[in-house]
Amino acid sequence: MPPARPPHAHHDHDHDHDHDGGTQLSEIDLRVRALESVLVEKGYVHPATLDALIETYEKKIGPRNGAHVVARAWTDPAYREWLLSDATAAIAALGYPGGQSMVAVANTPTEHNLIVCTLCSCYPWPVLGLPPVWYKSAPYRSRAVLDPRGVLKDFGLDLPPGTQIKVWDSTAEIRYFVLPERPEGTDGMDEAALARLVTRDSMIGVGLPLTPAQAAQ
Amino acid sequence: MSTRPALSELPDLPCDAEGPVFGAPWEAQAFAMAVALQQKGLFSWTEWADALSTEIRHAQAHGDPDTGETYYRHWLRALERLVVEKGVATPGRLAERAAAWNRAALETPHGRPIVPPA
């Protein structure tokens, strides 16, 4: 018999995927889940109420962090290169340390990226804030893998048939986020103006950045 | 919709100009549970502020660095204690639940959602 594997060290990250495929949740994550499931069972809280409250209050670790990162990558080729080769460090350098390994995947004219976590809604929260409710839903998680083109269509994004769609399944160790393409007609815009074009959905891959005309509306 | 709680009454809540600040998703989850239970009437906001400051004082007395990074750990502890005091759950039930979540997570292969334990 091989010796039992030593327990993973868990600090502040919320969980870890075990090498056998199972997931080791942190002690604090387990306590939060335990409390929530007891409260739900007894009818004291409803999961949808919690989601709504979080959406109301969650402001700080929001998509604007990611928008800053994307706008920098659009304006500074060296930063873009750094972001694509070591996203964790490049993102931390802008003041958003996250703990987990981040990987930025860049859209091109022929390739579109979409992120998902089929397991449990792992999400690049240092750049994107807390996940939207639909990201955690079972239909999104399963359909994003089976029918990404259909999912994008539901979000109003109809990609040309020639565009290849890549789906990235996040884990606790690697959290992907999408570096969208810089929209047309943005020459001469500075970083702050560009950041306003970057939406959360464009960094998940279910949308595109706004055009300057859309942002002006 | 129910009343918004007076966040300003809470000791040391990590905030910026726009509102509360969370360092990780579980913190927001714990935050939302306390707000929801207050709205539901399980405890008043004053009771909540008292329970939380008791936990914070207790932690500081035991060497908590009080840098804000541990704030929501105290928050969660206060929440667990109030839920027990109000008779909603026993400590044993919470521990049992946590263990069940742990088993469910460990047994779930990557690629499948973790099914909440029954």
Side-chain angles (χ1 to χ4, degrees), chain A residues 82-210:
Chain A
W82 188 19
L83 183 67
L84 293 176
S85 61
D86 186 358
T88 311
I91 291 165
L94 291 189
Y96 314 123
Q100 293 92 0
S101 291
M102 304 281 303
V103 172
V105 288
N107 285 349
T108 70
T110 54
E111 213 170 76
H112 184 89
N113 296 287
L114 176 66
I115 59 166
V116 65
C117 176
T118 48
L119 178 64
C120 50
S121 67
C122 296
Y123 191 70
W125 54 265
V127 276
L128 296 191
L130 299 175
V133 175
W134 53 258
Y135 187 86
K136 298 187 280 183
S137 72
Y140 174 76
R141 293 190 314 224
S142 54
R143 278 196 62 219
V145 173
L146 298 174
D147 178 22
R149 204 169 280 275
V151 168
L152 294 183
K153 213 171 251 182
D154 289 351
F155 277 92
L157 183 56
D158 211 351
L159 292 175
T163 305
Q164 198 198 342
I165 302 174
K166 278 195 177 170
V167 180
W168 300 87
D169 191 357
S170 298
T171 67
E173 288 88 15
I174 301 181
R175 300 195 175 190
Y176 300 96
F177 83 103
V178 177
L179 174 59
E181 282 192 283
R182 181 168 172 164
E184 307 259 319
T186 56
D187 293 350
M189 285 174 72
D190 67 9
E191 190 179 300
L194 286 168
R196 284 193 286 276
L197 305 179
V198 183
T199 61
R200 178 190 67 196
D201 285 2
S202 71
M203 293 181 284
I204 295 176
V206 295
L208 297 178
L210 303 175

Side-chain angles (χ1 to χ4, degrees), chain A residues 11-12 14 17-18 20-39 41-45 47 49-51 53-54 56-61 64 117-120 122 125 129-131 136 138 141 169-171 175, chain B residues 1 4-5 7 16 18-26 28-33 35-37 39-40 42 69 72-73 76-77 79-80 83 86-89 93-95 97-99 101-102 105-114 116-118:
Chain A
H11 300 291
D12 283 336
D14 39 350
H17 292 286
D18 193 79
D20 291 343
T23 299
Q24 177 70 63
L25 300 173
S26 70
E27 183 251 346
I28 201 110
D29 188 316
L30 290 171
R31 279 166 59 200
V32 169
R33 284 172 189 253
L35 191 57
E36 182 178 339
S37 56
V38 167
L39 293 173
E41 185 179 282
K42 300 230 169 183
Y44 282 93
V45 301
T49 312
L50 297 181
D51 284 333
L53 279 167
I54 289 170
T56 307
Y57 286 103
E58 203 284 301
K59 299 280 201 313
K60 178 68 173 184
I61 51 168
R64 62 184 182 170
C117 176
T118 48
L119 178 64
C120 50
C122 296
W125 54 265
L130 299 175
K136 298 187 280 183
R141 293 190 314 224
D169 191 357
S170 298
T171 67
R175 300 195 175 190
Chain B
M1 203 37 209
R4 281 167 81 101
L7 296 178
D16 67 4
E18 293 178 21
V21 174
F22 305 109
W26 72 263
Q29 207 71 17
F31 172 85
M33 278 194 272
V35 175
L37 289 175
Q39 289 180 344
K40 187 87 182 168
L42 185 68
E69 280 157 33
Y72 279 101
R73 290 183 179 266
L76 179 60
R77 206 175 287 280
L79 195 53
E80 287 168 337
V83 160
K86 299 287 179 179
V88 176
R93 180 76 180 129
L94 291 176
R97 259 309 159 110
W101 268 109
N102 194 27
L106 288 172
E107 287 163 7
T108 305
H110 183 65
R112 303 225 197 102
I114 301 170

Side-chain angles (χ1 to χ4, degrees), chain B residues 45-57 74 77-79 81-82 85:
Chain B
W45 202 246
T46 314
E47 261 179 296
W48 171 250
D50 282 350
L52 180 59
S53 43
T54 304
E55 285 300 332
I56 291 173
R57 273 199 309 276
H74 313 322
R77 206 175 287 280
L79 195 53
R81 197 159 57 83
L82 267 183
E85 274 175 22

